[in-house]
Amino acid sequence: MPETKERTELGELRIANEVVGVIAGLAATEVEGVAGMSGGLAGGIAEMLGRRNLSKGVKVEVGEEQAAIDLFVIVEYGVRIPDVAWKIQENVKRAIEGMTGLDVVEVNIHVQGVNFPQPEERVEEQPRVR
Amino acid sequence: MNWLEKLVILLVSLLLLAGGVGLFAFMLGWQGRPLFAWLLSLQDAQIEGAVLGAALLLGGLYLLAMFFKNGREVQAIVQETELGQVEVSLKAVANLVQRAAREIPGIRDLTPVIKVEPEGLDIRVVVQVVPERSIPALAAQVQSQIRDYLTETIGCPVHRVMVEVRDVRPEPKAKID
């Protein structure tokens, strides 16, 4: 598994790329206006098999000190996409830098779709016959 | 995808399916006599064989051309920010266009085709409208609604919105009140 290494006084610290992906995924989905992540075919199959993939829709590239992130998101209908994208970029950068110490140089957002609210279901169903 | 592309894909898929089943059955020990007999019979019917071969050749070439054509098209709007790129897929833009225009009373159905040009988005919408409404007024409303909505939501300039009224049909009546 690819990972990033850091030397401390007491030894080596290794952070797996998967961990950076999970941090980015969680930071992105907590932004208001994000309906979810778009994981493509592989992510969809993994979810069908009952495996919750927290780094779904996240592609990370991690070097010794820097990281670049690509996020594939679905936004809620009615939001201003540039505003939501900017909030995701900021939140993801802050979360990764705060938790891993890596310098995030790029957070690219790919808006893959828009989630429309489902029409409200009728509260009580009228019987068709009396 | 238009009807011609769908038809070519259907025919080529059926041929591939038939070929795959034939080869699989042959590997499992089927002698394939009816298949060979049919192939031999094509020798006698040269015109039919040539037509079949030409159709397969054209179908293959058409699919190849489609592949390269689709690969060249821009599939997203890209905006640069301090922290990286923001890319909005054209599928998402098409969904937004549909939603924005369907809210206009008088629009029955709408299919958007979106292209990214250097000046901004180039949008063509094919619409079905209900009768007894002024079509120019309705088209103008569609144009302004799409332009305003996309400028506000995506923050990307809209260069042109072309409205093509394909059909006039009344709204379906509800079967029950």
Side-chain angles (χ1 to χ4, degrees), chain B residues 1-176:
Chain B
M1 194 183 285
N2 62 31
W3 65 269
L4 185 63
E5 289 170 352
K6 282 183 184 167
L7 184 71
V8 171
I9 290 173
L10 176 75
L11 290 176
V12 174
S13 313
L14 286 175
L15 277 166
L16 281 175
L17 195 72
V21 169
L23 187 64
F24 195 65
F26 191 66
M27 290 299 139
L28 288 178
W30 178 56
Q31 296 297 307
R33 281 199 192 104
L35 184 66
F36 290 126
W38 178 69
L39 284 173
L40 284 173
S41 74
L42 283 181
Q43 279 186 329
D44 302 329
Q46 279 182 337
I47 294 172
E48 287 89 336
V51 167
L52 185 68
L56 273 174
L57 184 72
L58 285 176
L61 286 175
Y62 187 78
L63 281 181
L64 264 181
M66 244 170 68
F67 172 78
F68 285 112
K69 187 184 99 186
N70 289 341
R72 274 206 313 270
E73 276 175 11
V74 183
Q75 295 296 322
I77 307 166
V78 181
Q79 290 161 319
E80 294 282 345
T81 70
E82 272 174 47
L83 286 172
Q85 288 184 336
V86 178
E87 194 184 286
V88 185
S89 76
L90 290 193
K91 196 178 144 214
V93 181
N95 285 342
L96 288 171
V97 167
Q98 272 190 327
R99 188 74 179 205
R102 281 220 178 117
E103 283 169 6
I104 301 169
I107 296 294
R108 201 172 171 268
D109 192 26
L110 178 133
T111 314
V113 182
I114 299 162
K115 280 188 198 161
V116 183
E117 300 287 352
E119 303 90 357
L121 289 173
D122 190 331
I123 301 167
R124 184 166 71 91
V125 284
V126 180
V127 292
Q128 265 188 25
V129 297
V130 297
E132 292 161 18
R133 276 188 185 266
S134 156
I135 291 177
L138 207 54
Q141 205 182 345
V142 169
Q143 286 175 318
S144 63
Q145 178 112 345
I146 290 174
R147 190 198 56 217
D148 295 348
Y149 186 73
L150 289 186
T151 312
E152 168 63 22
T153 310
I154 305 176
C156 175
V158 177
H159 170 55
R160 190 165 59 162
V161 182
M162 269 168 56
V163 181
E164 187 182 321
V165 180
R166 181 65 60 85
D167 204 354
V168 181
R169 278 191 190 186
E171 288 277 18
K173 279 183 187 165
K175 284 183 185 161
I176 49 168

Side-chain angles (χ1 to χ4, degrees), chain A residues 70-124:
Chain A
D70 279 271
L71 293 153
F72 297 82
V73 300
I74 293 165
V75 297
E76 296 283 7
Y77 173 69
V79 299
R80 237 195 127 245
I81 293 175
D83 292 350
V84 174
W86 177 246
K87 279 183 200 159
I88 299 171
Q89 287 176 320
E90 275 192 325
N91 212 31
V92 169
K93 183 178 164 71
R94 193 172 47 231
I96 294 174
E97 288 185 345
M99 288 178 79
T100 65
L102 286 164
D103 180 23
V104 177
V105 287
E106 229 175 62
V107 182
N108 298 319
I109 311 291
H110 307 263
V111 180
Q112 300 290 93
V114 182
N115 186 41
F116 296 105
Q118 296 294 317
E120 278 179 28
E121 282 178 23
R122 286 163 67 183
V123 182
E124 54 182 280

Side-chain angles (χ1 to χ4, degrees), chain A residues 49-70:
Chain A
L49 295 171
R51 203 177 135 214
R52 196 173 168 227
N53 185 3
L54 292 172
S55 60
K56 179 181 146 191
V58 184
K59 213 172 102 192
V60 293
E61 213 175 295
V62 184
E64 298 245 322
E65 288 166 7
Q66 295 183 325
I69 319 288
D70 279 271

